[in-house]
Amino acid sequence: MRNLRRSIIVLVALLSTITLSAQKKATEPVDSLVRLLSAQSIEQMEIGSQKFRKVIGPARFFHNNTYLICDTALWNLNRETIEASGKVKILQNETVLTSDKLTYLIPQNLAQFRGTVVQLEDKDRNTLRTKHLDYNTKDSVAVFKGGGAFKDKDGQVIESTNGSYDSKIKTFVFTDNVNMFTDSIFVKTSRLDYNTNKSFATFGNKTDAWRDDNMLSSDAGWYDRKKELFLFNRNVHGMTVDREGWCDSLFYYRNTNNVEMLGHAQLTDTVRNVTGLAGRIVYTDSISLVRMMRDPAIVGITGNKGQPNDTVYVGADTLVYRAFYKFQIAENEFTDAEKRLTDINADAISAYRRKAAEEAAKAAEEAAMKNDPNYAAQQKAKGAQGKDGSKPGGPGGVGGGPGKSGGPGPGGPGPDNKGKKDEPKAPESEHAPDAAPLDSLSASLDSLGVNVDSLSAVSDSLARADSLAKLPKDSTQLGFMRAIKRVRLYRPDLQMACDSMLYNDVDSLVRLYKDPIVWNEGYRQYVADSIYVAFKNNSADRAYLMSEAFVTVEEAKDCYDQIRSTEMLAYFDTSGTLRRFDALGDVNTVFYIKEDSTFATVNKAQGKMMYAVFKDGDLQTVSYFDQNKNDAYPLAQMRKDDRLLKGFNWRPDEKPNGPKDVTKHKQRSTQRKVYAKRPKSQFKQTNTYFPGYMDGIYKQIADREKRKATRPKKKTTAPTTTVVDSVAMKDSLAKLEVIEARKDSIMVADSLARVDSLAAAKDSLQAVADSISRADSLAAIKKYEAMSPKEKAKADKEVKKQQKAAERAKKDAAREAEWARLDSLDAAKAQAKLEKKKAKERARKLKALKRAQRQAEKDAARLEKYKRYYEKQKAIEDEKAAAQAAKDAEKAAAEAAAQAAKDAAAAAANAAKDAAASSAGTSGATDTAAESASD
């Protein structure tokens, strides 16, 4: 009972204590939620019914794990507010907010900054400045209004009218008139979310981005700054000075300038009127490579002045375009291009006719001379004149060169008996009149014992090596395009189909391979193993059908004009209409002839070559060369198979009949004016809160553009440009040699005086080298003396021209060197910036590692402290438990002893009772016995 009463008393006392404590807390004001950690002085005030504490600082308050620091604070106990002023600062975790004025609403956990400038800075020195900011110390969220600007440690700038910052997830949200400058890119959008940990920005709708004169627009997107990767999606539009593009999504790799366009992509070159359409377009800037996939097509506007424009569509499974600088292209590309141009430009028919006419004229002249009775005497006289060393007159030699009498020679180009074309004549050298003085000089050197061939070879090699060393690299850009698999081309008057197609700016030829077919004007079909098409002024000029060529013309149902030959050339006028046709080698033809507007006769012919002329697309004349068969048959008497040549295959079903047969993508019309009107970023907030920063950015951009303007511009070439570089190079080398020789001719007297030294030094290598310059001097003298006054003036003019060219080349080389120097400086700056960035990153990681280490040490110390406290508490509890166990054991022993005593007493009582009962029983028995005995 004593223990029970004791437990009840303890419980009553404990309940009384809790009740008193609760009553006490209920009567006190709730200012214990905010702790004042330090201050210089505190003054209690009461104004009306309001109680205040005036704190003179520096003062430090603590609330919601947040420090509030200020110079002076007025703490209203009734309204639970703190009015802080003078170097106000809030510190929470690694976020710092500073201003000169703050109102802190304690129940709402809200710090209201209303200073001249409010600054929020996180651990990475990302800085936000504004004039109106609310910060919730419990949620760690800041909200600003009325304009603010953000700048990070790397110089990135974001500004907006309103926005917020969530410290827990390290994310800024900018809304209303958002402007951003990052890594040379300007962005304007309606909303922007920026995660500072990931350096990841997400854009809202109506997003515009600019770099130099290039603009990209979309309704959504993001920028991963660590990867330097932009994504623009939803209604993407882009434009440069001469290009405009659309797509559903666009990836832009800022560090490499690579671009990937996805989903109904379109890229239009407004200068050339050429548009690329595809489901995916990938541009690799480092190698100027464009790759188009997913039903790609190229759409071009063609036409000539005074004629309506036509639209041409070219499609394939894959289209690849790459631009090369001219000095990057292998020499064999120019050699092959020159050969292709030679083949397609050769006029075998005209050459054959010219050669035949020359041979006929020569034969007639010889026949006339043989019939002349004085012919033998004239021939004898000519022979005698030739023995005297003078040049005979008469016709020129082989090759068509002019003779003394000016008559043409018999050796003009043309096909041989097998129908092959001769190579065209090489262009005549502008120094051809100097041939005689050069021959004279060679004879003089031979008489002196000097090997003129070796001297000439050494001279040429030295001059060319020196000239090549001085020539700057040609930076003209030339394009190469390749269409792969299922190639289709559509224009109203011209259609094509093949397996692959090639084009380059070197020869400007469209080359079709693997079963190519060309349809012209709807009823002409051209087939060959491969076909070359040359364009001139954006229109087909001629087509070259190579090997197994076959042309089919549908005149009427089951009536087909046919031409089969080894190779063919078709010529078109400016409107794309066939005007001439040449068939070369083993020609077989079938033509249908009308009689009274009805096809009645079929003409079948064979020959080595054929020449046809068309007018307004209709056949006018046909000429055969070396014809060995020409028959006419009534159409009614011929079987259908007899009217078809071997290899006939009319395939109109494979012809593209419209743009839809080339690509499913539709071309968009220009929106340049609409997007050009969109306002650019102005950065008014940044100019207010970070004055002068954007001016410095603009100045850097202007300086860069100024440097770029002073650099030599890259040469460009139109698609129709033809390049035959080897001939130009030879001419340049020859001109340089003439210039050097012309300079040496100033020392004419010295050169003449030293001619005798050639024979004496012919075995010496040094003498050979000296002879080169002397030979050049003599050659120059001979050339100059042999020239007419007009030719001398021309030569002097050429020398001045070449000198100016040399000066220009020198200036260009100097500019190139300056350009290289600036590039090296830019590269060095970029490398230094990268190293600095890496050093900062290493320092940041080291700082984070040290911070983590300190935190680990704190955690270990806290854990150790907790363990000691736990062990102490456990020891106390164990001691209490032991004492309680001892008490319980003592109590149990006492109770056991009492119970034993009680049990012993009860046993004794029972024993006594039993003894009494037994005693009583004995007495009764004695009495009975006595009674029995008495009886």
Side-chain angles (χ1 to χ4, degrees):
M1 293 297 294
R2 288 197 307 269
N3 292 332
L4 179 60
R5 284 198 302 272
R6 187 181 300 170
S7 300
I8 292 173
I9 291 170
V10 171
L11 287 173
V12 170
L14 181 60
L15 289 173
S16 301
T17 304
I18 294 173
T19 304
L20 291 173
S21 177
Q23 291 175 353
K24 184 178 180 181
K25 287 185 178 180
T27 57
E28 288 180 357
V30 193
D31 61 342
S32 60
L33 297 174
V34 176
R35 285 185 289 167
L36 177 61
L37 301 180
S38 64
Q40 287 187 358
S41 63
I42 301 176
E43 180 182 353
Q44 298 280 358
M45 297 187 303
E46 187 171 348
I47 303 175
S49 61
Q50 304 292 320
K51 293 182 179 180
F52 295 90
R53 290 178 182 174
K54 185 176 181 181
V55 182
I56 306 298
R60 288 196 308 147
F61 295 87
F62 187 78
H63 182 238
N64 289 338
N65 199 30
T66 303
Y67 293 93
L68 191 160
I69 304 171
C70 63
D71 289 345
T72 305
L74 189 62
W75 188 352
N76 190 321
L77 302 179
N78 297 91
R79 294 182 179 178
E80 299 182 74
T81 61
I82 298 175
E83 298 285 343
S85 60
K87 297 181 180 179
V88 179
K89 183 180 292 187
I90 276 186
L91 306 176
Q92 187 183 67
N93 295 328
E94 295 173 321
T95 302
V96 181
L97 295 97
T98 57
S99 181
D100 54 8
K101 187 178 180 182
L102 164 68
T103 299
Y104 188 62
L105 308 180
I106 299 172
Q108 291 84 11
N109 307 303
L110 189 65
Q112 296 179 330
F113 290 90
R114 301 294 185 267
T116 305
V117 175
V118 182
Q119 177 172 297
L120 183 152
E121 186 176 80
D122 67 4
K123 63 184 179 63
D124 295 321
R125 293 188 290 117
N126 297 308
T127 304
L128 172 71
R129 291 178 182 174
T130 182
K131 293 182 179 180
H132 186 290
L133 186 142
D134 294 341
Y135 186 75
N136 189 301
T137 58
K138 186 175 182 180
D139 297 335
S140 302
V141 174
V143 177
F144 69 91
K145 298 179 181 179
F150 164 89
K151 185 167 79 73
D152 67 6
K153 63 182 183 299
D154 296 323
Q156 178 177 244
V157 170
I158 308 174
E159 67 168 41
S160 65
T161 304
N162 303 308
S164 63
Y165 173 64
D166 191 329
S167 177
K168 292 180 179 178
I169 60 175
K170 308 300 181 186
T171 299
F172 287 88
V173 177
F174 300 90
T175 58
D176 305 318
N177 195 26
V178 183
N179 299 296
M180 177 182 185
F181 172 75
T182 176
D183 301 324
S184 73
I185 307 292
F186 295 88
V187 178
K188 187 176 183 65
T189 183
S190 59
R191 176 190 172 102
L192 190 151
D193 296 5
Y194 185 67
N195 185 288
T196 57
N197 271 353
K198 299 179 180 178
S199 296
F200 194 92
T202 305
F203 308 127
N205 62 353
K206 293 184 179 179
T207 297
D208 297 330
W210 294 269
R211 183 174 185 178
D212 301 329
D213 294 327
N214 307 328
M215 178 181 178
L216 265 173
S217 303
S218 69
D219 285 334
W222 47 256
Y223 176 45
D224 189 336
R225 198 176 185 200
K226 291 182 178 179
K227 297 180 180 178
E228 297 191 70
L229 173 62
F230 279 92
L231 168 66
F232 298 90
N233 56 5
R234 287 174 37 198
N235 303 321
V236 181
H237 176 273
M239 61 182 184
T240 65
V241 175
D242 51 7
R243 289 180 178 83
E244 188 173 9
W246 295 260
C247 63
D248 296 337
S249 299
L250 183 145
F251 288 94
Y252 171 58
Y253 299 82
R254 198 203 68 82
N255 56 338
T256 60
N257 280 333
N258 294 343
V259 176
E260 182 175 3
M261 304 170 67
L262 300 171
H264 193 20
Q266 174 178 330
L267 188 61
T268 300
D269 187 327
T270 55
V271 175
R272 298 183 179 182
N273 280 334
V274 175
T275 298
L277 302 173
R280 183 184 180 210
I281 301 177
V282 179
Y283 170 68
T284 306
D285 182 70
S286 60
I287 55 176
S288 300
L289 174 67
V290 178
R291 191 174 183 88
M292 301 171 60
M293 293 151 284
R294 300 176 188 173
D295 199 22
I298 294 177
V299 182
I301 307 298
T302 63
N304 297 308
K305 293 183 178 179
Q307 297 180 355
N309 291 333
D310 287 327
T311 304
V312 59
Y313 296 81
V314 180
D317 286 353
T318 304
L319 293 172
V320 180
Y321 176 87
R322 183 174 178 184
F324 292 89
Y325 292 116
K326 191 174 178 182
F327 65 81
Q328 294 175 324
I329 302 173
E331 185 63 30
N332 65 293
E333 288 287 348
F334 296 103
T335 305
D336 295 343
E338 184 178 358
K339 185 179 184 304
R340 289 192 292 267
L341 288 172
T342 300
D343 291 341
I344 200 169
N345 290 320
D347 192 343
I349 298 296
S350 298
Y352 183 86
R353 285 180 166 178
R354 182 170 61 252
K355 183 177 180 180
E358 291 173 353
E359 290 177 350
K362 183 179 180 181
E365 183 181 359
E366 290 178 352
M369 289 182 177
K370 288 180 180 179
N371 293 329
D372 187 354
N374 299 323
Y375 176 74
Q378 291 175 358
Q379 290 295 104
K380 185 176 180 181
K382 286 182 179 180
Q385 187 178 5
K387 291 179 181 180
D388 295 337
S390 58
K391 291 185 178 180
V398 176
K404 186 174 181 180
S405 62
D416 57 15
N417 294 332
K418 295 183 179 180
K420 295 183 179 179
K421 301 179 293 297
D422 290 343
E423 294 293 328
K425 290 182 180 180
E428 295 182 0
S429 172
E430 60 182 341
H431 303 296
D434 299 331
L438 283 174
D439 292 342
S440 166
L441 177 61
S442 298
S444 300
L445 290 173
D446 287 340
S447 66
L448 292 172
V450 178
N451 189 337
V452 66
D453 292 335
S454 62
L455 287 176
S456 178
V458 174
S459 175
D460 290 344
S461 63
L462 290 175
R464 289 176 185 173
D466 185 58
S467 302
L468 287 171
K470 294 179 180 179
L471 289 175
K473 291 183 178 180
D474 194 337
S475 58
T476 304
Q477 276 198 331
L478 301 175
F480 289 72
M481 191 190 79
R482 181 176 45 166
I484 306 169
K485 298 295 183 184
R486 293 194 322 113
V487 181
R488 291 95 58 204
L489 181 147
Y490 172 80
R491 202 174 77 169
D493 60 336
L494 185 70
Q495 299 85 40
M496 299 181 189
C498 63
D499 183 76
S500 60
M501 182 181 76
L502 298 177
Y503 170 85
N504 64 59
D505 287 336
V506 178
D507 53 24
S508 300
L509 297 179
V510 174
R511 291 175 279 158
L512 312 179
Y513 296 101
K514 294 186 181 180
D515 195 22
I517 312 177
V518 177
W519 295 271
N520 178 230
E521 299 178 0
Y523 58 92
R524 290 192 178 94
Q525 175 182 289
Y526 305 84
V527 177
D529 287 347
S530 57
I531 298 176
Y532 293 172
V533 182
F535 286 84
K536 186 177 181 181
N537 297 327
N538 295 325
S539 179
D541 180 63
R542 62 183 64 189
Y544 182 21
L545 284 67
M546 305 172 61
S547 184
E548 300 298 329
F550 202 112
V551 176
T552 307
V553 181
E554 186 182 35
E555 296 289 358
K557 185 178 180 180
D558 295 332
C559 295
Y560 300 97
D561 290 342
Q562 303 154 60
I563 306 171
R564 188 186 68 200
S565 181
T566 303
E567 55 187 22
M568 301 183 190
L569 276 167
Y571 301 82
F572 305 93
D573 61 19
T574 55
S575 64
T577 304
L578 184 66
R579 64 179 178 84
R580 173 183 162 186
F581 195 88
D582 298 348
L584 311 173
D586 194 16
V587 180
N588 289 267
T589 64
V590 172
F591 288 108
Y592 286 76
I593 302 173
K594 282 185 178 181
E595 294 180 9
D596 297 330
S597 302
T598 303
F599 290 107
T601 306
V602 177
N603 181 267
K604 298 182 70 174
Q606 294 180 0
K608 290 294 184 182
M609 292 189 296
M610 186 206 74
Y611 170 80
V613 177
F614 295 80
K615 184 177 181 182
D616 298 329
D618 297 326
L619 181 64
Q620 294 294 305
T621 60
V622 178
S623 300
Y624 293 87
F625 299 86
D626 295 335
Q627 186 177 15
N628 54 27
K629 185 177 180 181
N630 189 352
D631 298 318
Y633 305 92
L635 177 61
Q637 298 178 8
M638 291 188 72
R639 293 184 304 131
K640 183 177 180 180
D641 293 344
D642 294 335
R643 290 180 281 162
L644 302 177
L645 295 176
K646 183 180 179 181
F648 172 84
N649 189 5
W650 179 245
R651 300 153 66 181
D653 295 338
E654 301 178 30
K655 177 177 64 176
N657 293 311
K660 291 183 179 179
D661 292 337
V662 177
T663 180
K664 66 182 179 182
H665 300 291
K666 294 183 179 180
Q667 187 175 0
R668 299 179 177 95
S669 57
T670 181
Q671 292 180 285
R672 182 177 291 273
K673 292 183 179 179
V674 175
Y675 284 95
K677 291 180 180 179
R678 290 200 181 186
K680 293 188 176 182
S681 302
Q682 298 297 322
F683 294 98
K684 295 180 180 179
Q685 305 297 336
T686 304
N687 292 335
T688 299
Y689 295 108
F690 298 96
Y693 179 74
M694 291 308 300
D695 292 338
I697 295 295
Y698 295 140
K699 186 177 184 303
Q700 290 178 9
I701 295 174
D703 292 342
R704 185 188 66 192
E705 292 297 323
K706 187 176 180 181
R707 290 196 304 270
K708 190 184 296 183
T710 58
R711 294 169 181 170
K713 296 182 179 180
K714 297 177 182 178
K715 298 179 183 179
T716 56
T717 180
T720 55
T721 303
T722 56
V723 181
V724 186
D725 189 52
S726 58
V727 176
M729 180 63 74
K730 292 176 183 178
D731 290 344
S732 300
L733 292 173
K735 290 176 182 177
L736 287 171
E737 291 172 0
V738 171
I739 292 170
E740 294 301 324
R742 183 71 179 89
K743 291 178 181 178
D744 291 340
S745 65
I746 298 173
M747 306 301 294
V748 174
D750 292 340
S751 300
L752 291 174
R754 296 187 180 97
V755 170
D756 294 337
S757 63
L758 292 174
K762 63 180 179 179
D763 295 327
S764 171
L765 180 62
Q766 184 62 40
V768 171
D770 294 339
S771 300
I772 294 171
S773 60
R774 289 166 185 152
D776 289 340
S777 300
L778 290 172
I781 295 167
K782 293 289 186 178
K783 288 179 183 179
Y784 199 72
E785 290 177 352
M787 290 181 182
S788 64
K790 186 175 181 180
E791 291 172 338
K792 290 180 180 179
K794 184 179 179 181
D796 293 339
K797 185 177 179 181
E798 183 66 24
V799 170
K800 292 180 180 179
K801 182 179 178 181
Q802 294 299 330
Q803 288 175 344
K804 290 182 179 179
E807 291 175 359
R808 283 197 301 271
K810 185 177 179 181
K811 290 181 180 179
D812 290 343
R815 282 196 295 268
E816 285 287 344
E818 179 63 15
W819 167 253
R821 186 183 69 83
L822 293 174
D823 282 347
S824 63
L825 289 176
D826 291 343
K829 289 180 180 178
Q831 184 63 28
K833 183 178 179 181
L834 180 62
E835 293 297 332
K836 186 177 180 181
K837 185 176 181 181
K838 289 181 178 179
K840 289 182 177 179
E841 184 67 17
R842 287 194 295 270
R844 186 185 68 79
K845 290 182 178 179
L846 181 60
K847 185 178 178 182
L849 184 62
K850 290 181 178 179
R851 186 166 57 248
Q853 186 177 359
R854 289 196 298 271
Q855 185 64 36
E857 292 173 355
K858 288 182 180 178
D859 293 341
R862 191 179 295 114
L863 178 62
E864 190 65 29
K865 182 178 179 181
Y866 173 75
K867 289 167 71 176
R868 290 196 300 269
Y869 173 77
Y870 173 76
E871 292 173 354
K872 184 178 179 182
Q873 289 296 112
K874 189 173 183 301
I876 294 172
E877 290 175 359
D878 290 345
E879 185 179 352
K880 288 182 178 179
Q884 185 65 36
K887 289 182 180 179
D888 292 342
E890 183 181 354
K891 180 178 178 181
E895 290 177 351
Q899 186 65 34
K902 185 177 179 181
D903 291 343
N910 289 334
K913 187 177 178 181
D914 291 340
S918 176
S919 177
T922 304
S923 178
T926 303
D927 292 340
T928 301
E931 288 177 359
S932 298
S934 66
D935 288 341

